[in-house]
Amino acid sequence: MRTRLIVALLCLSSVAMAAPPDADARRAAYLEGDRALVAKDWAGAETIFKKLWVEGATYDVALSLGQAEFRQNKYRDAAEHLEYAIANYPPREKTDTLERAKKFLSLAAKQVGTLHITVDQKGAQMLIDGEPIGTSPLPGNTYVDAGAHTVEARLADHAPARQEISVTAGASANVELKFTGPVLLTGIETAGPAPAVGAGLDGQNPTANPPAETQKRGVEARTVALWSGVGVTAVALGVGVGFAFKASAASDDFKSLDSTLGPNDCSAPAAPACADLQKALDDRNAANRVKNVSFVVAGVAAVATASMFFLWPSRRGGTARELRVLPIATQNTGGLLINGNF
């Protein structure tokens, strides 16, 4: 049975390579790698096909590279490349080659652990044990050696989402990562976006993040402004609540005193009860004024803080939108006039 499997695996290299324009050198390298496979020079074949993979990922290179890796017991790498080959196998090619690739993927998967990773955000950098493996959503399964691993997702302005997991050979596990929310106190320095699975291994990415120092300065300025707004909102709200209670108490005093006086008891302004009644009225009005102004300030600060959060220029070079907030306060009412270009 083992001999039959090896023969079938060797047949994977017979798939014709889809030649891009001006690919004579690539075709010659592919044929050289194919001869290494036939000669059972697995390490030599791996070297040749890995170089071709870095230059441009194709299903046929993935098939041959996976074969060389499988014969050297590098089952995790073999599983990844065979899965890529199967996912990108052209409909016009022979189905028996595809079926053989699926069988050998199954054999490789029995020697490693299979992870099904999902993330609640798109575009997050995915890492396993600190090594980049692509960006979310991942196109397929992720294969790891048996044992304990740390699966991590990183996204700008969010705390990293991590999960520790242990998997045995031949077993599979689900990993669900969720970001808890934006980080306002410190910037998250990431290792830069990883190349997408099957998109080459040179690590080059034209959308790489700007330098970490530039990001840190931008986050710090935004953080100071946001937390200042939160502080002003909290203080103004606390003052407003305090004076609301004071106004309510003064109003109760006024009603209590007023209920003890007759219609003409205050005809003489010097009457002590009338003076107390007037003081209670003045205290109620003053407390109401402070309460209204405090609530207006709290509302302005809250709106300004929310506006900064959503409209602050991003570190990617975005521009802030114009926003003007004007408080309106009277003795018993308050409000906000918001004007801007959104």
Side-chain angles (χ1 to χ4, degrees), residues 46 50 65-66 69-70 74-82 112 143 145:
E46 180 188 10
K50 185 171 290 186
L65 179 56
E69 291 165 338
F70 184 93
K74 298 180 179 180
Y75 298 114
R76 181 182 63 82
D77 294 335
E80 290 181 351
H81 291 118
L82 289 172
V112 296
Y143 299 96
D145 294 324

Side-chain angles (χ1 to χ4, degrees), residues 238-260:
V239 172
V241 171
F243 275 90
F245 284 116
K246 185 174 181 179
S248 177
S251 179
D252 291 341
D253 291 343
F254 175 80
K255 293 177 181 179
S256 177
L257 290 171
D258 186 58
S259 65
T260 63

Side-chain angles (χ1 to χ4, degrees), residues 135-193:
T135 55
S136 62
L138 296 174
N141 297 324
T142 301
Y143 299 96
V144 294
D145 294 324
H149 300 278
T150 300
V151 184
E152 181 178 358
R154 296 180 184 177
L155 190 63
D157 293 335
H158 288 73
R162 296 188 183 92
Q163 182 174 333
E164 303 289 336
I165 191 165
S166 181
V167 63
T168 59
S172 61
N174 295 323
V175 178
E176 296 183 3
L177 299 178
K178 295 183 179 180
F179 290 98
T180 57
V183 173
L184 299 180
L185 293 178
T186 58
I188 300 300
E189 294 185 3
T190 64

Side-chain angles (χ1 to χ4, degrees), residues 292 295-297 299-300 325-330 332-338:
N292 291 335
F295 284 153
V296 169
V297 172
V300 171
V325 180
L326 178 65
I328 301 175
T330 64
N332 297 312
T333 61
L336 298 174
L337 175 61
I338 301 177

Side-chain angles (χ1 to χ4, degrees):
M1 180 64 180
R2 180 176 178 83
T3 302
R4 291 170 57 193
L5 290 177
I6 292 175
V7 172
L9 184 59
L10 289 173
C11 292
L12 291 175
S13 64
S14 64
V15 180
M17 188 175 74
D22 303 323
D24 291 341
R26 184 178 175 89
R27 184 183 297 106
Y30 185 91
L31 293 175
E32 181 182 357
D34 193 46
R35 286 192 292 270
L37 288 176
V38 174
K40 299 184 179 180
D41 179 10
W42 313 120
E46 180 188 10
T47 300
I48 295 171
F49 287 115
K50 185 171 290 186
K51 183 175 183 296
L52 290 173
W53 175 264
V54 171
E55 294 173 352
T58 57
Y59 79 96
D60 49 347
V61 170
L63 281 172
S64 298
L65 179 56
Q67 175 183 344
E69 291 165 338
F70 184 93
R71 292 301 302 135
Q72 298 177 86
N73 300 330
K74 298 180 179 180
Y75 298 114
R76 181 182 63 82
D77 294 335
E80 290 181 351
H81 291 118
L82 289 172
E83 179 163 296
Y84 178 88
I86 292 169
N88 294 274
Y89 196 80
R92 67 179 182 275
E93 295 293 347
K94 297 179 179 179
T95 57
D96 57 342
T97 300
L98 177 62
E99 293 304 316
R100 286 195 295 271
K102 290 180 179 179
K103 290 180 180 179
F104 285 103
L105 172 59
S106 177
L107 289 173
K110 291 179 180 179
Q111 306 300 320
V112 296
T114 304
L115 301 182
H116 310 288
I117 304 174
T118 58
V119 187
D120 66 344
Q121 298 283 351
K122 294 182 179 180
Q125 182 188 15
M126 304 302 303
L127 304 95
I128 293 183
D129 300 329
E131 294 295 326
I133 60 170
T135 55
S136 62
L138 296 174
N141 297 324
T142 301
Y143 299 96
V144 294
D145 294 324
H149 300 278
T150 300
V151 184
E152 181 178 358
R154 296 180 184 177
L155 190 63
D157 293 335
H158 288 73
R162 296 188 183 92
Q163 182 174 333
E164 303 289 336
I165 191 165
S166 181
V167 63
T168 59
S172 61
N174 295 323
V175 178
E176 296 183 3
L177 299 178
K178 295 183 179 180
F179 290 98
T180 57
V183 173
L184 299 180
L185 293 178
T186 58
I188 300 300
E189 294 185 3
T190 64
V197 175
L201 303 178
D202 56 4
Q204 297 181 357
N205 193 325
T207 61
N209 290 336
E213 184 62 29
T214 301
Q215 297 182 9
K216 185 177 180 182
R217 288 198 297 268
V219 171
E220 287 178 350
R222 185 172 182 267
T223 298
V224 171
L226 287 172
W227 279 103
S228 297
V230 171
V232 172
T233 301
V235 171
L237 187 61
V239 172
V241 171
F243 275 90
F245 284 116
K246 185 174 181 179
S248 177
S251 179
D252 291 341
D253 291 343
F254 175 80
K255 293 177 181 179
S256 177
L257 290 171
D258 186 58
S259 65
T260 63
L261 298 175
N264 300 318
D265 287 350
C266 287
S267 57
C274 294
D276 291 341
L277 182 67
Q278 184 61 44
K279 183 178 183 304
L281 179 61
D282 292 341
D283 289 345
R284 184 192 68 180
N285 292 339
N288 277 329
R289 284 193 294 271
V290 176
K291 175 196 70 174
N292 291 335
V293 171
S294 298
F295 284 153
V296 169
V297 172
V300 171
V303 171
T305 303
S307 301
M308 284 188 291
F309 179 79
F310 290 107
L311 304 180
W312 190 278
S314 71
R315 63 182 130 200
R316 296 183 178 88
T319 57
R321 299 173 176 82
E322 183 182 2
L323 180 68
R324 294 184 296 276
V325 180
L326 178 65
I328 301 175
T330 64
Q331 178 174 330
N332 297 312
T333 61
L336 298 174
L337 175 61
I338 301 177
N339 185 23
N341 182 18
F342 299 92

